[in-house]
Amino acid sequence: MSTLTRQLSGAHETVQAFTRHVDVPLLGEVAVPPPDKLAYYAGIGVLAALQVIEWPLALVITAGHVLADQHLSGLAKGLGEALETA
């Protein structure tokens, strides 16, 4: 096994260890975000339900937040791998 393969395998195991999954009957296994992110999404939902903000705006805000988290987690993963090899 090459060094790169071992590093990728270790990173994958670490992500799996800290990610919670829930089995949803029709969707299968779904990853659950951490509690702070769930609170953020719930807050956006409450604001939309109380009509403080419109539903389309709530969806755009939530989608932007999810995409930003994915991008930042990819950057952090790349930085971590670079530091491990140094």
Side-chain angles (χ1 to χ4, degrees):
M1 184 181 293
S2 73
T3 304
L4 178 61
T5 306
R6 274 182 288 183
Q7 288 175 353
L8 290 176
S9 174
H12 180 63
E13 290 170 2
T14 302
V15 168
Q16 290 298 331
F18 291 106
T19 303
R20 295 183 181 151
H21 296 278
V22 175
D23 287 326
V24 178
L26 296 176
L27 299 176
E29 191 172 288
V30 177
V32 178
D36 61 331
K37 290 186 183 9
L38 283 177
Y40 177 80
Y41 300 143
I44 295 291
V46 167
L47 289 175
L50 295 174
Q51 296 181 352
V52 174
I53 60 174
E54 298 287 331
W55 280 106
L57 180 60
L59 292 175
V60 168
I61 292 170
T62 303
H65 192 72
V66 168
L67 291 174
D69 282 344
Q70 288 177 351
H71 179 70
L72 291 176
S73 99
L75 288 175
K77 180 181 174 186
L79 179 62
E81 290 174 357
L83 290 174
E84 284 179 357
T85 59

Coordinates of all heavy atoms in Angstrom, one line a residue:
M1 N 0.9 -1.2 0.0 CA 0.0 0.0 0.0 C 0.9 1.2 0.0 O 1.8 1.4 0.8 CB -0.9 0.0 1.2 CG -1.9 1.1 1.3 SD -2.9 1.1 2.8 CE -3.9 -0.3 2.6
S2 N 0.6 2.1 -0.9 CA 1.4 3.3 -1.0 C 1.1 4.3 0.2 O 0.1 4.2 0.8 CB 1.2 4.0 -2.3 OG -0.1 4.6 -2.3
T3 N 2.0 5.3 0.4 CA 1.8 6.3 1.4 C 0.5 7.1 1.2 O -0.3 7.3 2.1 CB 3.0 7.2 1.5 OG1 4.2 6.5 1.6 CG2 2.9 8.2 2.6
L4 N 0.3 7.5 -0.1 CA -0.9 8.2 -0.4 C -2.2 7.4 -0.1 O -3.1 8.0 0.4 CB -0.9 8.7 -1.9 CG -2.1 9.4 -2.4 CD1 -2.2 10.7 -1.6 CD2 -2.0 9.7 -3.9
T5 N -2.2 6.2 -0.5 CA -3.4 5.3 -0.2 C -3.6 5.2 1.3 O -4.8 5.3 1.7 CB -3.1 3.9 -0.8 OG1 -2.8 4.1 -2.2 CG2 -4.4 3.1 -0.7
R6 N -2.6 5.0 2.1 CA -2.7 4.9 3.5 C -3.3 6.2 4.1 O -4.2 6.2 5.0 CB -1.4 4.6 4.2 CG -1.2 3.1 4.2 CD 0.1 2.8 4.9 NE 1.1 3.3 4.0 CZ 2.4 3.2 4.2 NH1 2.9 2.8 5.2 NH2 3.2 3.6 3.2
Q7 N -2.8 7.4 3.6 CA -3.3 8.7 4.1 C -4.7 8.9 3.7 O -5.5 9.3 4.6 CB -2.4 9.8 3.5 CG -1.1 9.9 4.1 CD -0.2 11.0 3.4 OE1 -0.6 11.6 2.4 NE2 0.9 11.2 4.0
L8 N -5.1 8.5 2.5 CA -6.5 8.7 2.1 C -7.4 7.8 2.9 O -8.5 8.1 3.3 CB -6.7 8.4 0.6 CG -6.1 9.5 -0.3 CD1 -6.2 9.1 -1.7 CD2 -6.7 10.9 -0.1
S9 N -6.9 6.5 3.2 CA -7.7 5.6 3.9 C -7.9 6.1 5.4 O -9.0 6.0 6.0 CB -7.0 4.2 4.0 OG -7.7 3.4 4.8
G10 N -6.8 6.6 6.0 CA -6.9 7.2 7.3 C -7.8 8.4 7.4 O -8.6 8.5 8.4
A11 N -7.8 9.3 6.4 CA -8.7 10.4 6.4 C -10.1 10.0 6.3 O -11.0 10.5 6.9 CB -8.3 11.3 5.2
H12 N -10.4 9.0 5.4 CA -11.7 8.5 5.3 C -12.3 7.8 6.6 O -13.4 8.1 7.0 CB -11.8 7.4 4.1 CG -13.1 6.8 3.9 ND1 -14.2 7.6 3.5 CD2 -13.6 5.6 4.0 CE1 -15.2 6.8 3.3 NE2 -14.9 5.6 3.7
E13 N -11.4 7.1 7.3 CA -11.8 6.5 8.5 C -12.1 7.6 9.6 O -13.0 7.4 10.4 CB -10.7 5.5 9.0 CG -10.6 4.3 8.2 CD -9.4 3.5 8.6 OE1 -8.6 3.9 9.5 OE2 -9.2 2.5 7.9
T14 N -11.3 8.6 9.6 CA -11.5 9.7 10.6 C -12.9 10.4 10.3 O -13.6 10.7 11.2 CB -10.4 10.8 10.5 OG1 -9.2 10.1 10.7 CG2 -10.6 11.9 11.5
V15 N -13.2 10.7 9.0 CA -14.5 11.3 8.7 C -15.6 10.4 9.1 O -16.6 10.9 9.6 CB -14.5 11.6 7.2 CG1 -15.9 12.0 6.7 CG2 -13.5 12.8 6.9
Q16 N -15.5 9.1 8.8 CA -16.5 8.2 9.2 C -16.8 8.1 10.7 O -17.9 7.9 11.1 CB -16.2 6.8 8.6 CG -16.3 6.7 7.1 CD -17.7 6.9 6.6 OE1 -18.7 6.7 7.3 NE2 -17.8 7.5 5.4
A17 N -15.7 8.2 11.4 CA -15.8 8.1 12.9 C -16.5 9.3 13.5 O -17.2 9.2 14.5 CB -14.4 8.0 13.5
F18 N -16.4 10.5 12.9 CA -17.0 11.7 13.5 C -18.3 12.1 12.8 O -18.8 13.2 13.0 CB -16.0 12.8 13.5 CG -14.9 12.6 14.4 CD1 -13.6 12.3 14.0 CD2 -15.1 12.7 15.8 CE1 -12.6 12.1 14.9 CE2 -14.1 12.5 16.7 CZ -12.8 12.2 16.2
T19 N -18.8 11.3 11.8 CA -20.0 11.6 11.1 C -21.1 10.7 11.6 O -20.9 9.5 11.7 CB -19.8 11.4 9.6 OG1 -18.7 12.2 9.2 CG2 -21.1 11.8 8.8
R20 N -22.3 11.3 11.9 CA -23.4 10.5 12.4 C -24.3 10.2 11.2 O -24.5 11.1 10.3 CB -24.2 11.2 13.4 CG -23.4 11.4 14.7 CD -24.2 12.0 15.8 NE -23.4 12.2 16.9 CZ -23.5 13.1 17.8 NH1 -24.4 14.0 17.6 NH2 -22.7 13.2 18.8
H21 N -24.8 9.0 11.1 CA -25.7 8.6 10.0 C -27.0 8.1 10.6 O -27.1 7.5 11.6 CB -25.1 7.5 9.1 CG -23.8 8.0 8.4 ND1 -23.9 8.7 7.3 CD2 -22.5 7.8 8.8 CE1 -22.6 8.9 6.9 NE2 -21.8 8.4 7.8
V22 N -28.1 8.4 9.8 CA -29.4 7.9 10.2 C -30.0 7.2 9.0 O -29.9 7.6 7.9 CB -30.3 9.1 10.6 CG1 -31.8 8.7 10.9 CG2 -29.8 9.9 11.8
D23 N -30.6 6.0 9.3 CA -31.3 5.3 8.2 C -32.7 5.8 8.1 O -33.6 5.7 8.9 CB -31.3 3.8 8.6 CG -30.0 3.1 8.4 OD1 -29.2 3.6 7.5 OD2 -29.7 2.2 9.2
V24 N -33.0 6.4 6.9 CA -34.3 6.9 6.5 C -34.9 5.9 5.6 O -34.3 5.5 4.6 CB -34.2 8.3 5.9 CG1 -35.5 8.8 5.5 CG2 -33.5 9.3 6.8
P25 N -36.2 5.4 5.9 CA -36.8 4.3 5.2 C -36.7 4.5 3.6 O -36.3 3.6 3.0 CB -38.2 4.3 5.6 CG -38.1 4.9 7.0 CD -37.0 5.9 7.0
L26 N -37.1 5.6 3.1 CA -37.1 5.7 1.6 C -35.8 6.2 1.0 O -35.5 6.0 -0.2 CB -38.2 6.6 1.2 CG -39.7 6.2 1.5 CD1 -40.7 7.2 1.1 CD2 -40.0 4.9 0.8
L27 N -35.0 6.9 1.8 CA -33.7 7.5 1.3 C -32.5 6.7 1.6 O -31.5 6.8 0.9 CB -33.6 8.9 1.9 CG -34.6 9.9 1.6 CD1 -34.4 11.2 2.3 CD2 -34.7 10.1 0.1
G28 N -32.6 5.8 2.6 CA -31.4 5.0 3.0 C -30.6 5.7 4.0 O -31.2 6.4 4.9
E29 N -29.3 5.6 4.0 CA -28.4 6.2 5.1 C -28.2 7.6 4.7 O -27.7 8.0 3.6 CB -27.1 5.4 5.2 CG -26.3 5.8 6.4 CD -25.1 4.8 6.5 OE1 -25.3 3.7 6.9 OE2 -24.0 5.3 6.3
V30 N -28.5 8.5 5.7 CA -28.3 10.0 5.5 C -27.4 10.5 6.6 O -27.5 10.2 7.7 CB -29.7 10.7 5.5 CG1 -29.5 12.2 5.4 CG2 -30.6 10.2 4.5
A31 N -26.4 11.3 6.2 CA -25.5 11.9 7.1 C -26.2 13.1 7.9 O -26.9 13.9 7.3 CB -24.2 12.5 6.4
V32 N -26.0 13.2 9.2 CA -26.6 14.2 10.0 C -25.5 15.2 10.3 O -24.4 14.9 10.8 CB -27.2 13.6 11.3 CG1 -27.8 14.7 12.2 CG2 -28.2 12.6 11.0
P33 N -25.8 16.5 10.1 CA -24.8 17.5 10.4 C -24.6 17.7 12.0 O -25.5 17.3 12.7 CB -25.4 18.8 9.8 CG -26.7 18.5 9.4 CD -27.0 17.1 9.5
P34 N -23.5 18.3 12.4 CA -23.3 18.5 13.8 C -24.4 19.4 14.4 O -25.1 20.1 13.7 CB -21.9 19.3 13.9 CG -21.4 19.2 12.5 CD -22.4 18.8 11.6
P35 N -24.5 19.4 15.7 CA -25.6 20.2 16.4 C -25.6 21.7 16.1 O -26.7 22.2 16.0 CB -25.4 19.9 17.9 CG -24.6 18.6 17.9 CD -23.8 18.6 16.7
D36 N -24.4 22.3 16.0 CA -24.5 23.7 15.7 C -25.0 24.0 14.4 O -25.7 25.0 14.2 CB -23.1 24.3 15.9 CG -22.0 23.7 15.0 OD1 -22.2 22.5 14.6 OD2 -21.1 24.4 14.6
K37 N -24.8 23.2 13.4 CA -25.3 23.4 12.0 C -26.8 23.1 12.0 O -27.6 23.8 11.4 CB -24.6 22.6 11.0 CG -23.2 23.0 10.8 CD -22.5 22.2 9.7 CE -21.1 22.5 9.4 NZ -20.3 23.4 10.2
L38 N -27.2 22.1 12.8 CA -28.7 21.8 12.9 C -29.4 23.0 13.5 O -30.5 23.3 13.1 CB -28.9 20.5 13.7 CG -28.6 19.2 13.0 CD1 -28.8 18.1 14.0 CD2 -29.5 19.0 11.8
A39 N -28.8 23.6 14.5 CA -29.5 24.8 15.1 C -29.6 25.9 14.1 O -30.6 26.6 14.1 CB -28.7 25.2 16.4
Y40 N -28.5 26.1 13.3 CA -28.6 27.2 12.3 C -29.7 26.9 11.3 O -30.5 27.8 11.0 CB -27.2 27.2 11.6 CG -27.2 28.2 10.5 CD1 -27.0 29.6 10.7 CD2 -27.4 27.8 9.1 CE1 -26.9 30.5 9.7 CE2 -27.3 28.8 8.1 CZ -27.1 30.1 8.4 OH -27.1 31.0 7.4
Y41 N -29.8 25.7 10.8 CA -30.8 25.3 9.8 C -32.2 25.4 10.5 O -33.2 25.9 9.8 CB -30.6 23.9 9.3 CG -29.3 23.7 8.6 CD1 -28.6 22.5 8.7 CD2 -28.7 24.7 7.8 CE1 -27.4 22.3 8.1 CE2 -27.5 24.5 7.2 CZ -26.9 23.3 7.3 OH -25.7 23.2 6.7
A42 N -32.3 25.0 11.7 CA -33.6 25.2 12.4 C -34.0 26.6 12.6 O -35.2 27.0 12.4 CB -33.6 24.5 13.8
G43 N -33.0 27.5 12.9 CA -33.3 28.9 13.0 C -33.8 29.5 11.7 O -34.7 30.3 11.7
I44 N -33.2 29.1 10.6 CA -33.6 29.6 9.3 C -35.0 29.1 9.0 O -35.9 29.8 8.5 CB -32.7 29.1 8.1 CG1 -31.3 29.8 8.3 CG2 -33.2 29.4 6.8 CD1 -31.2 31.2 8.0
G45 N -35.3 27.9 9.4 CA -36.7 27.3 9.2 C -37.7 28.0 10.0 O -38.8 28.3 9.5
V46 N -37.4 28.4 11.2 CA -38.3 29.1 12.1 C -38.6 30.5 11.5 O -39.7 31.0 11.5 CB -37.7 29.2 13.5 CG1 -38.5 30.2 14.4 CG2 -37.8 27.8 14.2
L47 N -37.5 31.2 11.1 CA -37.7 32.5 10.5 C -38.6 32.4 9.3 O -39.5 33.3 9.1 CB -36.4 33.1 10.1 CG -35.5 33.6 11.2 CD1 -34.1 34.0 10.7 CD2 -36.1 34.7 12.0
A48 N -38.4 31.4 8.5 CA -39.3 31.2 7.3 C -40.7 30.9 7.7 O -41.7 31.4 7.1 CB -38.7 30.2 6.3
A49 N -40.9 30.0 8.7 CA -42.2 29.6 9.2 C -43.0 30.8 9.8 O -44.2 30.9 9.6 CB -42.1 28.5 10.2
L50 N -42.2 31.7 10.4 CA -42.9 32.9 11.0 C -43.0 34.0 10.0 O -43.5 35.1 10.3 CB -42.1 33.4 12.2 CG -42.0 32.5 13.4 CD1 -41.1 33.0 14.5 CD2 -43.4 32.2 14.0
Q51 N -42.6 33.8 8.8 CA -42.7 34.7 7.7 C -41.8 36.0 7.9 O -42.2 37.0 7.4 CB -44.1 35.1 7.3 CG -44.9 33.9 6.9 CD -46.3 34.2 6.5 OE1 -46.8 35.3 6.7 NE2 -47.0 33.2 5.9
V52 N -40.8 35.8 8.6 CA -39.8 36.9 8.8 C -39.0 37.0 7.5 O -38.7 38.1 7.1 CB -38.9 36.7 10.0 CG1 -37.8 37.7 10.1 CG2 -39.7 36.6 11.3
I53 N -38.7 35.9 6.9 CA -38.1 35.8 5.6 C -38.9 34.9 4.7 O -39.6 34.1 5.2 CB -36.6 35.3 5.7 CG1 -36.5 33.9 6.2 CG2 -35.7 36.3 6.5 CD1 -35.1 33.3 6.2
E54 N -38.8 35.1 3.4 CA -39.5 34.3 2.5 C -38.9 32.9 2.3 O -37.7 32.7 2.5 CB -39.6 35.0 1.1 CG -40.3 36.3 1.1 CD -41.8 36.2 1.3 OE1 -42.3 35.2 0.8 OE2 -42.4 37.1 1.9
W55 N -39.7 31.9 2.0 CA -39.2 30.5 1.8 C -38.1 30.4 0.7 O -37.0 29.8 1.0 CB -40.3 29.6 1.4 CG -41.1 29.1 2.6 CD1 -42.3 29.5 3.0 CD2 -40.7 28.3 3.7 NE1 -42.7 29.0 4.2 CE2 -41.7 28.2 4.6 CE3 -39.5 27.5 3.9 CZ2 -41.6 27.4 5.7 CZ3 -39.4 26.8 5.0 CH2 -40.4 26.7 5.9
P56 N -38.2 31.1 -0.4 CA -37.1 31.0 -1.4 C -35.8 31.6 -0.9 O -34.7 31.0 -1.1 CB -37.6 31.8 -2.6 CG -39.1 31.8 -2.5 CD -39.4 31.8 -1.0
L57 N -35.9 32.6 -0.1 CA -34.7 33.2 0.5 C -34.1 32.2 1.5 O -32.9 32.1 1.6 CB -35.0 34.6 1.2 CG -33.8 35.3 1.8 CD1 -32.7 35.6 0.8 CD2 -34.3 36.5 2.5
A58 N -34.9 31.6 2.3 CA -34.4 30.6 3.3 C -33.7 29.5 2.6 O -32.7 29.0 3.0 CB -35.6 30.1 4.1
L59 N -34.3 29.0 1.4 CA -33.6 27.9 0.7 C -32.3 28.4 0.1 O -31.3 27.6 0.1 CB -34.6 27.5 -0.4 CG -35.8 26.7 0.0 CD1 -36.7 26.4 -1.2 CD2 -35.5 25.5 0.8
V60 N -32.2 29.6 -0.4 CA -31.0 30.1 -1.0 C -29.9 30.2 0.1 O -28.7 29.9 -0.1 CB -31.2 31.4 -1.7 CG1 -29.9 32.1 -2.0 CG2 -32.0 31.2 -3.0
I61 N -30.3 30.8 1.3 CA -29.3 30.9 2.4 C -28.8 29.6 2.8 O -27.6 29.4 3.0 CB -30.0 31.7 3.6 CG1 -30.3 33.1 3.2 CG2 -29.1 31.6 4.8 CD1 -31.1 33.9 4.2
T62 N -29.7 28.6 3.0 CA -29.3 27.3 3.4 C -28.4 26.6 2.4 O -27.4 26.0 2.8 CB -30.6 26.4 3.7 OG1 -31.4 27.1 4.7 CG2 -30.2 25.0 4.2
A63 N -28.8 26.7 1.1 CA -28.0 26.1 0.1 C -26.6 26.7 0.0 O -25.6 26.0 -0.1 CB -28.7 26.2 -1.3
G64 N -26.5 28.0 0.2 CA -25.2 28.7 0.2 C -24.4 28.2 1.4 O -23.2 28.0 1.3
H65 N -25.0 28.1 2.5 CA -24.3 27.6 3.7 C -23.8 26.2 3.6 O -22.6 25.9 3.9 CB -25.2 27.7 4.9 CG -24.6 27.6 6.3 ND1 -23.8 28.6 6.8 CD2 -24.6 26.5 7.1 CE1 -23.3 28.1 8.0 NE2 -23.8 26.9 8.2
V66 N -24.6 25.3 3.0 CA -24.1 23.9 2.8 C -23.0 23.9 1.8 O -22.0 23.2 2.0 CB -25.3 23.1 2.3 CG1 -24.9 21.7 1.8 CG2 -26.4 22.9 3.4
L67 N -23.1 24.7 0.7 CA -22.0 24.7 -0.3 C -20.7 25.3 0.3 O -19.6 24.8 0.0 CB -22.4 25.5 -1.5 CG -23.5 24.8 -2.4 CD1 -23.9 25.8 -3.5 CD2 -23.0 23.5 -3.0
A68 N -20.8 26.3 1.1 CA -19.6 26.9 1.7 C -19.0 25.9 2.7 O -17.7 25.8 2.8 CB -20.0 28.2 2.5
D69 N -19.8 25.2 3.5 CA -19.2 24.2 4.4 C -18.5 23.1 3.6 O -17.4 22.6 4.0 CB -20.3 23.5 5.2 CG -20.8 24.4 6.4 OD1 -20.0 25.4 6.7 OD2 -21.9 24.2 6.9
Q70 N -19.1 22.6 2.5 CA -18.4 21.6 1.7 C -17.1 22.1 1.2 O -16.1 21.4 1.2 CB -19.3 21.1 0.6 CG -20.5 20.3 1.0 CD -21.4 19.9 -0.1 OE1 -21.3 20.4 -1.2 NE2 -22.4 19.1 0.2
H71 N -17.1 23.3 0.7 CA -15.8 23.9 0.1 C -14.8 24.0 1.2 O -13.6 23.7 1.0 CB -16.1 25.2 -0.5 CG -14.9 25.9 -1.1 ND1 -14.3 25.4 -2.2 CD2 -14.2 27.0 -0.7 CE1 -13.3 26.2 -2.5 NE2 -13.2 27.2 -1.6
L72 N -15.2 24.6 2.4 CA -14.2 24.8 3.5 C -13.7 23.4 4.0 O -12.5 23.3 4.4 CB -14.8 25.6 4.6 CG -15.1 27.1 4.2 CD1 -15.8 27.8 5.4 CD2 -13.8 27.8 3.9
S73 N -14.5 22.4 4.1 CA -14.1 21.1 4.6 C -13.1 20.5 3.6 O -12.1 19.8 4.0 CB -15.3 20.2 4.8 OG -15.5 19.3 3.9
G74 N -13.3 20.7 2.3 CA -12.4 20.2 1.3 C -11.0 20.9 1.4 O -10.0 20.3 1.3
L75 N -11.0 22.2 1.7 CA -9.8 23.0 1.8 C -9.1 22.5 3.1 O -7.8 22.3 3.1 CB -10.1 24.5 1.9 CG -10.5 25.2 0.7 CD1 -10.8 26.6 1.0 CD2 -9.4 25.1 -0.4
A76 N -9.8 22.3 4.2 CA -9.2 21.8 5.4 C -8.6 20.4 5.2 O -7.5 20.2 5.7 CB -10.2 21.8 6.5
K77 N -9.3 19.6 4.5 CA -8.7 18.2 4.2 C -7.5 18.3 3.4 O -6.5 17.6 3.8 CB -9.8 17.4 3.5 CG -9.4 16.0 3.2 CD -10.4 15.3 2.5 CE -10.0 13.9 2.0 NZ -10.9 13.2 1.2
G78 N -7.4 19.1 2.4 CA -6.2 19.3 1.6 C -5.1 19.8 2.4 O -3.9 19.4 2.3
L79 N -5.3 20.8 3.3 CA -4.3 21.4 4.1 C -3.8 20.4 5.1 O -2.6 20.2 5.3 CB -4.8 22.6 4.9 CG -3.9 23.3 5.8 CD1 -2.7 23.9 5.0 CD2 -4.6 24.4 6.6
G80 N -4.7 19.6 5.7 CA -4.3 18.5 6.6 C -3.4 17.5 5.9 O -2.4 17.1 6.5
E81 N -3.7 17.1 4.7 CA -2.9 16.1 4.0 C -1.5 16.7 3.7 O -0.5 16.0 3.7 CB -3.6 15.7 2.7 CG -4.8 14.8 3.0 CD -5.6 14.5 1.7 OE1 -5.3 14.9 0.7 OE2 -6.6 13.7 1.9
A82 N -1.5 18.0 3.3 CA -0.2 18.6 3.0 C 0.7 18.7 4.2 O 1.9 18.4 4.1 CB -0.5 20.0 2.4
L83 N 0.1 19.0 5.4 CA 0.8 19.0 6.6 C 1.3 17.7 7.0 O 2.4 17.6 7.6 CB 0.0 19.7 7.7 CG -0.3 21.2 7.5 CD1 -1.2 21.7 8.6 CD2 1.0 22.0 7.6
E84 N 0.6 16.6 6.8 CA 1.0 15.3 7.1 C 2.2 14.8 6.3 O 3.1 14.2 6.8 CB -0.2 14.3 6.9 CG -1.2 14.4 8.0 CD -2.3 13.4 7.8 OE1 -2.3 12.7 6.7 OE2 -3.2 13.3 8.6
T85 N 2.2 15.2 5.0 CA 3.3 14.8 4.2 C 4.6 15.6 4.5 O 5.7 15.2 4.1 CB 3.0 14.9 2.7 OG1 2.6 16.3 2.4 CG2 1.8 14.0 2.4
A86 N 4.5 16.8 5.1 CA 5.6 17.6 5.3 C 6.4 17.2 6.5 O 6.1 16.4 7.3 CB 5.2 19.1 5.6

